[in-house]
Amino acid sequence: MPGQQVPDAPRADEPPAHDSRPREEPTPHTSQEPAPGAPAARPARAAAAARPAVPLLAALALWGYAVRHTDVSALDDYGLVGALHPAFWVGLAVLTAGFWFTVRDPRRRSRWPLAHVLGLLVMERATQALLYPTPLYAWAWKHDAVVDHLLTSGGLQDAARLGDMAVYDQWPGFFAAQAALVRLLGVDNAAMYMAWWPLVSSVLLLLPLLLIYRTFTTDRRLIWTAVWLFCVTNWVGQDYFSPQSVAFALHLGVLAVVLRRYSSRMTASTASTASTASSGSSGPSGSDGPKGLDGPDGRGGVRQGQAVWAVLLSLLVVAVVVSHQLTPGMLVVTLLALALTRRHRDWLPLVTTVVIYLAWCLTAALPFLSAAMPDMIRSVGDVGANVETGYGTTPTGAGAVAMSWAARLLSGSVLLLALAGVLRQRVLRRRAFPLLLLAAAPLPMFVASSYGSEMIFRVLMFMLPGAAFFAAAALLPGVRASDAEAADAAARLRYGAWLAPLVLLAGTLAFVPSYSGKDRINYFPPREVALVQRLFDQAPDGSLVVAANRNYPLAYEQYWRVDHYWFLDDDRRHVDEIVRDPAGVLARDMAAVDAPARAYFLLTQGQTANSEMNGQLDEAQLRHVRESVADSPRFERVAENSAGVLYVLKPAS
């Protein structure tokens, strides 16, 4: 009846008389007299309550020791894997064991699994921030340059001023927010804090993940194991200082709102079952219907609540749309898949997203889309090319190949586990069907585009929330929708007692090479930063910077006044010409720069590492290029250190 709270309905496979709510433990003092031995029992209870902290603290202590005794001054082709102190690996093993023995008891409080997951994120994402004195990833430095442009120019600009970089001014949400944050913190630029962004962005994912998973179960074993698997398999590196990192969190936030607040009303049979059970069950086991839409205020309260959630949904969608190009498309595809099911046949979220997305594309983003549309149309349907280019160039060398295979095996394993969970857990397959859609919905994007040779990585990342849930279900025997049922199933634990923690440990250890195995490419030592900074400190407006590739710090610094040319991005024929006669061909390519602008040639260790490990030019070929330029009378050396060299083309006589 209106104004009355509708209790959660039991599942069809659940015996009607069974109350799935966890029973409260009796209090120690149920009579007027103190329980015998109660004072002596207090220290024992306190010790038992604090026991989960022991492996967590031990793991963090080992991690701290490892960080202090790890040297990253000479990384090899195995990246951080070859440099880490052995105590780091022991700490990961201790942390994983502590997490498993904490989470396997469904009646233990959720604060301990949460503490272990936070400890995992610190060990995974904060290690690099502490070890490396400069931020990782050339793309992070690029995004810092975009923030600096907004701070310098004071507004957005078009392609007539910025060329290809104008695309960032057409999706400025992330960069505008960062510019405001830079001013609020009073720092010089975003580089002052962006090394810590992977940790921050990963923590931001926890709340929407937990909300999504709790929509389908309150079995804390399943929820926290899924969260752990998500953290250790999310290796694709989109958590760095980038619009994608925030847009992905917002994407999950939209899905959490839709799954929890926009489910269709219960079917007649389910509603009938709910009415018969309303006097005996209103626990947290969950139902197929929506959570929390009906309240004591009656229909008016429902309408008011729906309006509030509609506003929140719209704000989240706007933030996604103005910040990133790909994520809104992924969101539309996922919401469409949900809307086609009976359980989520509410079209409001999808229509809202499509309207906001189209409004932005037809206004602010129209210049970029008009120029890019022909290439986008040509790539539609070319699945082979979209997938084949997903790994970019070919990893070369034992280290690069090993790290690449570690990442692929980790991703393949979690997807196979998810398939096993879908086949094995019939109840969850039906109850958590929307999570299956979350995992499958991104797959059609392979047909749409290669997204700059990264579509396979992005699809994998968007599949992970759903895949991690069913992968966790495959590891846990007898998972249920509630903690009480999970406790009964835990008593029948057999193979899961050893298989699950071993799989978790293997995935946790495999994350390190997958995530940081290419740090020789991604890390730029301070001397390399100083060399590049010297270039931009002296380059006049309109100057040209020529380099092998864009893998160096500050590669896009002051892009609104300095041009760049990376010759390895050219066709193979022209690259072969440069290899045959480096100084002659480069001088010819750089000669079009008019005074007072200058043409610079920059070669750094970051470019060399990227070229070698990705099978472009090897060390001997790059050394030949450098020596040819050094010997040419047409070039003058400006600066040099152990991280690279900088030359300028002399003016023509």
Side-chain angles (χ1 to χ4, degrees):
M1 66 191 311
Q4 183 176 357
Q5 180 75 22
V6 178
D8 289 337
R11 301 185 321 279
D13 59 294
E14 186 179 69
H18 177 66
D19 185 359
S20 63
R21 290 175 294 174
R23 269 51 172 188
E24 295 184 359
E25 296 291 336
T27 57
H29 306 284
T30 55
S31 62
Q32 296 180 353
E33 296 182 2
R42 290 186 187 127
R45 289 198 300 270
R51 193 175 300 132
V54 175
L56 175 61
L57 295 177
L60 292 177
L62 288 166
W63 169 71
Y65 180 85
V67 169
R68 288 195 302 271
H69 293 82
T70 295
D71 181 14
V72 296
S73 61
L75 296 176
D76 58 16
D77 286 356
Y78 292 89
L80 190 58
V81 176
L84 281 169
H85 190 277
F88 180 87
W89 304 100
V90 178
L92 276 182
V94 171
L95 183 71
T96 306
F99 169 78
W100 175 247
F101 286 110
T102 298
V103 80
R104 68 195 299 262
D105 183 359
R107 285 164 295 206
R108 194 180 295 276
R109 293 183 179 181
S110 294
R111 64 186 182 189
W112 288 116
L114 173 61
H116 281 75
V117 168
L118 291 175
L120 173 70
L121 292 178
V122 168
M123 295 182 69
E124 283 184 345
R125 265 75 180 186
T127 299
Q128 293 166 312
L130 291 172
L131 287 176
Y132 300 129
T134 59
L136 293 175
Y137 302 114
W139 287 96
W141 291 87
K142 175 181 180 178
H143 295 151
D144 176 49
V146 177
V147 175
D148 188 48
H149 163 252
L150 289 181
L151 291 170
T152 302
S153 65
L156 306 179
Q157 296 177 351
D158 57 20
R161 291 289 306 275
L162 301 179
D164 293 341
M165 294 295 290
V167 63
Y168 294 99
D169 282 39
Q170 293 166 32
W171 275 275
F174 172 81
F175 304 106
Q178 294 301 323
L181 182 60
V182 167
R183 287 178 172 169
L184 179 65
L185 296 177
V187 296
D188 293 335
N189 49 49
M192 304 297 292
Y193 59 82
M194 68 185 186
W196 294 93
W197 197 259
L199 176 61
V200 174
S201 63
S202 297
V203 172
L204 288 177
L205 297 177
L206 292 182
L207 177 59
L209 270 181
L210 290 172
L211 289 175
I212 290 173
Y213 292 157
R214 283 188 59 84
T215 304
F216 305 101
T217 181
T218 58
D219 182 347
R220 279 171 285 184
R221 294 183 311 149
L222 179 55
I223 292 172
W224 287 108
T225 303
V227 170
W228 185 280
L229 283 174
F230 175 86
C231 292
V232 301
T233 53
N234 186 21
W235 60 267
V236 296
Q238 295 305 313
D239 55 358
Y240 73 105
F241 186 73
S242 64
Q244 177 70 91
S245 63
V246 176
F248 185 49
L250 294 170
H251 169 87
L252 293 182
V254 172
L255 295 180
V257 171
V258 171
L259 291 172
R260 295 183 68 87
R261 299 295 174 178
Y262 285 92
S263 300
S264 299
R265 295 297 180 185
M266 292 180 294
T267 60
S269 60
T270 306
S272 175
T273 306
S275 64
T276 60
S278 60
S279 61
S281 176
S282 60
S285 62
S287 70
D288 289 341
K291 311 291 190 294
L293 285 178
D294 297 319
D297 295 330
R299 293 177 182 174
V302 171
R303 286 194 296 268
Q304 183 179 5
Q306 288 175 329
V308 170
W309 288 110
V311 171
L312 175 60
L313 178 73
S314 299
L315 292 175
L316 291 173
V317 171
V318 168
V320 172
V321 168
V322 303
S323 297
H324 198 243
Q325 302 98 319
L326 177 66
T327 304
M330 290 285 192
L331 183 59
V332 167
V333 171
T334 304
L335 292 178
L336 176 61
L338 290 174
L340 294 177
T341 64
R342 181 175 60 182
R343 188 182 304 181
H344 294 85
R345 196 169 293 163
D346 192 327
W347 293 88
L348 177 63
L350 175 62
V351 172
T352 300
T353 303
V354 170
V355 169
I356 295 173
Y357 189 26
L358 287 178
W360 187 261
C361 290
L362 295 176
T363 54
L366 186 59
F368 169 79
L369 292 176
S370 299
M373 192 60 68
D375 289 336
M376 296 171 63
I377 293 175
R378 279 194 296 268
S379 66
V380 172
D382 193 359
V383 179
N386 293 344
V387 175
E388 182 180 359
T389 58
Y391 287 100
T393 49
T394 305
T396 304
V401 172
M403 301 302 98
S404 179
W405 274 107
R408 300 181 191 193
L409 290 175
L410 178 60
S411 299
S413 298
V414 73
L415 294 179
L416 288 176
L417 275 176
L419 179 60
V422 171
L423 297 176
R424 181 170 174 268
Q425 301 289 353
R426 179 180 59 85
V427 173
L428 280 180
R429 183 172 67 243
R430 181 174 65 253
R431 181 177 181 80
F433 181 71
L435 284 180
L436 270 179
L437 296 179
L438 261 64
L443 290 173
M445 298 302 288
F446 280 135
V447 179
S449 171
S450 68
Y451 197 68
S453 301
E454 290 189 358
M455 183 58 75
I456 190 171
F457 299 124
R458 306 304 176 96
V459 167
L460 174 63
M461 183 178 68
F462 282 92
M463 292 176 65
L464 273 181
F469 182 85
F470 285 99
L475 296 177
L476 300 173
V479 291
R480 296 293 186 268
S482 71
D483 284 336
E485 294 175 303
D488 296 337
R492 301 190 298 271
L493 205 61
R494 292 293 184 270
Y495 73 89
W498 297 107
L499 178 62
L502 288 177
V503 172
L504 291 180
L505 178 59
T508 303
L509 297 179
F511 172 85
V512 181
S514 303
Y515 185 76
S516 56
K518 294 186 177 181
D519 279 5
R520 184 189 165 212
I521 294 176
N522 298 322
Y523 167 55
F524 312 112
R527 58 187 181 274
E528 187 171 356
V529 177
L531 179 70
V532 181
Q533 186 63 61
R534 181 170 177 178
L535 185 162
F536 289 104
D537 287 343
Q538 65 175 257
D541 289 356
S543 294
L544 173 67
V545 178
V546 176
N549 53 54
R550 67 195 75 194
N551 192 62
Y552 54 93
L554 303 166
Y556 292 83
E557 185 75 0
Q558 302 177 30
Y559 59 85
W560 54 95
R561 69 175 193 89
V562 176
D563 294 327
H564 300 82
Y565 166 57
W566 300 288
F567 62 79
L568 287 181
D569 288 350
D570 256 340
D571 61 85
R572 191 69 195 183
R573 180 187 57 81
H574 188 64
V575 174
D576 290 339
E577 290 180 4
I578 293 176
V579 172
R580 285 193 298 268
D581 181 17
V585 177
L586 288 174
R588 184 189 66 201
D589 293 342
M590 300 163 65
V593 177
D594 297 326
R598 308 294 300 275
Y600 297 89
F601 174 72
L602 176 70
L603 187 62
T604 65
Q605 69 176 49
Q607 299 173 52
T608 302
N610 186 79
S611 180
E612 288 181 6
M613 294 183 65
N614 285 318
Q616 296 174 318
L617 298 183
D618 58 29
E619 181 182 4
Q621 291 171 312
L622 289 172
R623 185 169 58 250
H624 170 61
V625 172
R626 175 172 176 168
E627 292 172 350
S628 175
V629 172
D631 294 338
S632 173
R634 304 188 63 180
F635 288 89
E636 177 184 353
R637 187 173 63 189
V638 175
E640 182 179 8
N641 60 27
S642 59
V645 63
L646 174 65
Y647 290 90
V648 64
L649 182 68
K650 296 178 181 179
S653 58

